[in-house]
Amino acid sequence: MEAYEKLEKVGEGTYGKVYRARERATGKIVALKKTRLHEDDEGVPPTTLREVSILRMLSCDPHVVRLMDVKQGQNKEGKTVLYLVFEYMDTDLKKFIRTFRQTGENLPANVVKSLMFQLCKGVAFCHGHGILHRDLKPHNLLMDRKTMMLKIADLGLARAFTILTLWYRAPEVLLGCTHYSTAVDIWSVACIFAELVTKQALFPGDSELQQLLHIFRLLGTPNEEVWPGVSKLMNWHEYPQWKAQNLSKAVPNLDEDGLDLLYYEPSKRISAKKAMEHPYFDDLNKASL
Amino acid sequence: MGGNRNGAFQYQDFESPVLFASTLKLEGSKPFRISLISDPDMAANFWTSSHHKQLLDQEEVDVVHPLDKERGITLDDFKLIKMHMANYIWKLAQFVKVRQRVVATAVAYMRRVYTRKSMTEYDPRLVAPTCLYLASKAEESTVQARLLVFYLKKLYADEKHRYEIKDILEMEMKILEALNYYLVVFHPYRALSQLLQDAGLNDISMTQLTWGLVNDTYKMDLILVHAPHLIALACLYIASVLREKDTTAWFEELRIDMNVVKNISMEILDFYENHRMITDDRIIAALSKLKP
């Protein structure tokens, strides 16, 4: 690991620390994600393996974070650690939204549109390669402040892994559906869209039940009519009956084209690829993204 | 013939819900007539995958590493040891109970390792179980290292090759480097079930026969050389000839190069032919050249 000079710790995730570092040979700034190997004699964690193998496959897309190298090293105790070497991105969408919340300004409509398009493009690319992200949220979307480039990160989530934040979780997952599809990620995309506009999470639940109630309150409590099969899902119970509200109330400042992107029923939810062709993006200079 | 001698097939659950196996999209030509993939947005694309970019020519696969040559390992020995280790992975997998897909991925890893590394430095008796360990993690059905080591000791009574957990973990890191962290492997199984259905041959007898054939292809290096759906087609072709099913018209409609499919079929049949001549003594002799 002499090839890199650690500059500062920039984050600490579930798997280990992330450093900003300089590649000695080129002076290039990179992000080093240090992965602890399990202390319980199980070698490289499966989540890391999955992330690495998925990134090896998807890293060629401009909207997926670029994995430049993988290096084995030793920590102070002489144990093997794994370093994932990523291109350095200076912020993420969570921090980006926060800066606007602090100043009270709104994100410019064209910025929202550009970020949304890049997100859809990256998600379409993942889905095109048979990869579900399963944990899309502003924190996992890296950004470059100057160029406004958006890149999807943290692709390593295994099924068994308990996702910490519920806010972007699709209703079919909350209701115990075991067969996930691409629609799961599209739900998260829709939640992120709303958050870009309002600077607040659309469904900020703090338990699975509350998360569902948040969704039902806005979109109406689903029934067999709007969502065939919903009452047969594992976690289905009788819920308070809410009528669907007008979405533009919850997400103001959003023109009508944009509203079409927020869908409720999984099988009818728009695909990332189709979303890219949505009229909402018509006035965007797509070639530059 | 077929994979029956290896015991039960586990074809119900071979497919990971996250990583879809081989796709049926053909480059250049019209997309495969059979686009049976349930969710078209999820059609995993083999052609843009790292697996596709890593396909090798047979001549590249059939290179005995100089270090192994020094020990007197011939090309025949080389193939024999890899086959033996594929069987070994299979056996071990039945003890630790993992899906067929994990076995297939493990064998593919092992074969990839030996296109780059010598058996002298990377002892197959350690590489094989470690590949199974690694594949179980990559395919989201992790097997505990201590469980693996337990069965390893049970299967290999041989005192000289007793491996402990730390050996497996050390080799895991070496294999990851040897594979350059490319861990996604596409297999013929998914394509096979789609093709069988499309050809109207998805009865139990044909399914079992073709499934067994595909399993047996992992005793060869086919997965390093050919696209998974072509391997599936070759197995379907052999099975239809054996069971006297007329599939000529169906194959014609596929717009694929039938010569390639027939060549792969010939390779498989040749393998079965030669397989009869293989004795345990030959395998033991080949392995003993590696480490006295």
Side-chain angles (χ1 to χ4, degrees):
Chain A
M1 276 315 293
E2 296 75 43
Y4 300 92
E5 179 194 352
K6 280 182 198 160
L7 299 173
E8 62 186 317
K9 196 170 93 176
V10 288
E12 185 147 13
T14 331
Y15 320 105
K17 294 169 179 139
V18 184
Y19 298 93
R20 194 167 74 94
R22 183 186 289 122
E23 189 179 24
R24 289 182 205 272
T26 59
K28 208 178 158 150
I29 300 294
V30 298
L32 286 183
K33 188 166 173 180
K34 183 165 117 181
T35 302
R36 279 186 290 260
L37 300 192
H38 282 185
E39 281 110 48
D40 58 354
D41 274 351
E42 288 299 345
V44 185
T47 44
T48 308
L49 283 180
R50 287 192 52 74
E51 180 173 18
V52 172
S53 61
I54 288 169
L55 282 168
R56 273 291 195 229
M57 184 160 71
L58 301 180
S59 227
C60 51
D61 187 82
H63 300 297
V64 174
V65 68
R66 208 160 78 79
L67 177 70
M68 296 156 67
D69 204 355
V70 185
K71 290 262 189 250
Q72 294 181 14
Q74 305 232 307
N75 66 5
K76 284 168 207 136
E77 291 96 54
K79 287 198 169 167
T80 312
V81 283
L82 212 58
Y83 287 98
L84 309 192
V85 186
F86 290 101
E87 65 183 320
Y88 184 74
M89 303 288 286
D90 61 5
T91 191
D92 61 59
L93 207 56
K94 190 179 175 190
K95 288 185 196 146
F96 187 70
I97 293 172
R98 194 194 292 146
T99 55
F100 280 90
R101 204 165 49 227
Q102 280 160 353
T103 61
E105 280 173 80
N106 284 331
L107 279 78
N110 60 334
V111 169
V112 173
K113 198 168 281 194
S114 162
L115 291 172
M116 276 308 292
F117 185 75
Q118 296 182 67
L119 177 57
C120 289
K121 204 170 160 215
V123 170
F125 186 79
C126 294
H127 289 176
H129 284 76
I131 302 293
L132 295 182
H133 189 289
R134 295 184 289 193
D135 193 28
L136 286 171
K137 54 186 178 190
H139 184 61
N140 286 342
L141 302 173
L142 303 182
M143 270 185 68
D144 186 293
R145 263 180 222 273
K146 241 186 238 149
T147 60
M148 289 286 163
M149 259 307 241
L150 176 145
K151 288 173 194 249
I152 299 173
D154 267 326
L155 289 132
L157 276 185
R159 243 177 322 160
F161 195 81
T162 333
I163 300 164
L164 292 173
T165 175
L166 295 160
W167 299 354
Y168 310 91
R169 204 182 282 184
E172 66 270 28
V173 181
L174 291 162
L175 286 170
C177 182
T178 46
H179 184 83
Y180 295 3
S181 75
T182 51
V184 178
D185 285 339
I186 300 303
W187 181 270
S188 310
V189 169
C191 295
I192 293 165
F193 191 11
E195 192 166 333
L196 281 171
V197 176
T198 63
K199 297 171 287 173
Q200 303 291 342
L202 184 61
F203 304 121
D206 51 21
S207 68
E208 296 203 8
L209 176 66
Q210 220 209 12
Q211 188 64 33
L212 276 172
L213 299 184
H214 266 292
I215 296 168
F216 295 168
R217 246 190 314 252
L218 181 64
L219 298 169
T221 309
N223 52 34
E224 283 294 319
E225 213 173 294
V226 295
W227 184 355
V230 67
S231 61
K232 302 210 171 52
L233 291 174
M234 207 168 54
N235 299 344
W236 178 258
H237 302 284
E238 286 305 316
Y239 294 100
Q241 293 297 311
W242 280 288
K243 276 211 187 90
Q245 287 183 38
N246 193 345
L247 267 178
S248 57
K249 251 190 208 161
V251 191
N253 304 331
L254 189 61
D255 52 53
E256 280 188 13
D257 285 338
L259 280 176
D260 286 352
L261 277 163
L262 290 160
Y263 272 82
Y264 190 28
E265 202 192 326
S267 61
K268 286 186 184 156
R269 228 169 277 157
I270 196 166
S271 76
K273 215 175 157 193
K274 284 255 171 64
M276 287 167 66
E277 295 156 13
H278 195 279
Y280 169 68
F281 294 122
D282 278 355
D283 59 345
L284 188 73
N285 182 6
K286 294 177 190 170
S288 67
L289 296 170
Chain B
M1 197 157 122
N4 284 330
R5 63 176 161 271
N6 284 318
F9 309 117
Q10 295 178 293
Y11 50 80
Q12 309 90 329
D13 59 350
F14 65 93
E15 181 187 289
S16 152
V18 186
L19 267 185
F20 276 26
S22 40
T23 174
L24 298 172
K25 232 192 210 153
L26 289 181
E27 217 167 22
S29 69
K30 222 171 117 186
F32 234 174
R33 187 166 58 83
I34 345 149
S35 48
L36 301 169
I37 299 162
S38 54
D39 186 344
D41 297 311
M42 273 294 272
N45 197 338
F46 169 75
W47 297 106
T48 55
S49 71
S50 55
H51 181 170
H52 173 232
K53 286 167 204 140
Q54 292 202 339
L55 286 186
L56 299 164
D57 290 335
Q58 190 65 49
E59 298 79 60
E60 296 174 273
V61 174
D62 287 343
V63 179
V64 182
H65 196 282
L67 281 175
D68 294 341
K69 250 188 207 160
E70 268 176 40
R71 304 212 172 205
I73 299 277
T74 63
L75 180 57
D76 271 352
D77 291 337
F78 188 43
K79 288 185 177 175
L80 213 55
I81 294 172
K82 285 192 281 185
M83 185 199 76
H84 177 67
M85 287 304 153
N87 286 337
Y88 181 67
I89 289 173
W90 180 286
K91 252 188 259 168
L92 198 53
Q94 287 186 318
F95 281 104
V96 296
K97 297 196 172 49
V98 287
R99 300 171 298 166
Q100 177 54 35
R101 191 190 162 91
V102 179
V103 179
T105 298
V107 175
Y109 288 169
M110 185 265 295
R111 293 185 179 279
R112 276 186 191 172
V113 167
Y114 291 122
T115 60
R116 293 157 194 179
K117 302 292 181 188
S118 71
M119 291 184 164
T120 307
E121 289 169 300
Y122 290 70
D123 195 308
R125 284 158 288 209
L126 178 56
V127 168
T130 311
C131 284
L132 185 63
Y133 179 61
L134 194 55
S136 77
K137 287 186 191 179
E139 301 284 3
E140 294 191 70
S141 42
T142 304
V143 172
Q144 286 183 329
R146 60 177 172 81
L147 192 69
L148 199 75
V149 167
F150 174 80
Y151 285 113
L152 208 55
K153 285 178 179 164
K154 217 170 156 180
L155 267 172
Y156 256 130
D158 173 3
E159 283 290 326
K160 268 186 222 158
H161 303 286
R162 284 200 156 235
Y163 295 112
E164 302 296 337
I165 293 175
K166 75 166 177 39
D167 300 312
I168 299 270
L169 298 185
E170 259 177 53
M171 184 49 85
E172 180 186 33
M173 298 308 282
K174 287 170 80 175
I175 288 175
L176 280 170
E177 292 231 299
L179 297 172
N180 200 12
Y181 298 88
Y182 283 91
L183 301 176
V184 175
V185 186
F186 288 75
H187 297 293
Y189 296 101
R190 187 181 165 82
L192 180 67
S193 49
Q194 293 172 331
L195 291 164
L196 280 170
Q197 201 181 5
D198 188 74
L201 296 171
N202 52 340
D203 56 277
I204 289 180
S205 149
M206 276 297 277
T207 305
Q208 288 203 346
L209 177 57
T210 48
W211 216 273
L213 286 164
V214 170
N215 286 347
D216 281 351
T217 63
Y218 286 87
K219 297 175 203 279
M220 303 174 260
D221 284 308
L222 292 179
I223 196 71
L224 301 186
V225 181
H226 300 288
H229 75 276
L230 292 175
I231 300 174
L233 281 170
C235 293
L236 201 153
Y237 179 67
I238 295 173
S240 64
V241 172
L242 276 174
R243 292 281 153 85
E244 294 173 350
K245 310 262 187 193
D246 187 11
T247 48
T248 323
W250 181 79
F251 269 105
E252 269 170 17
E253 267 187 64
L254 286 179
R255 294 165 221 273
I256 36 135
D257 187 349
M258 214 36 214
N259 285 327
V260 180
V261 174
K262 284 183 179 164
N263 283 339
I264 300 173
S265 307
M266 286 311 292
E267 269 186 71
I268 297 171
L269 293 174
D270 280 348
F271 169 81
Y272 283 119
E273 192 58 36
N274 293 327
H275 193 261
R276 292 183 202 163
M277 261 88 95
I278 298 171
T279 59
D280 284 351
D281 293 345
R282 277 185 63 194
I283 294 167
I284 293 166
L287 273 171
S288 66
K289 289 181 190 173
L290 281 178
K291 224 185 212 169

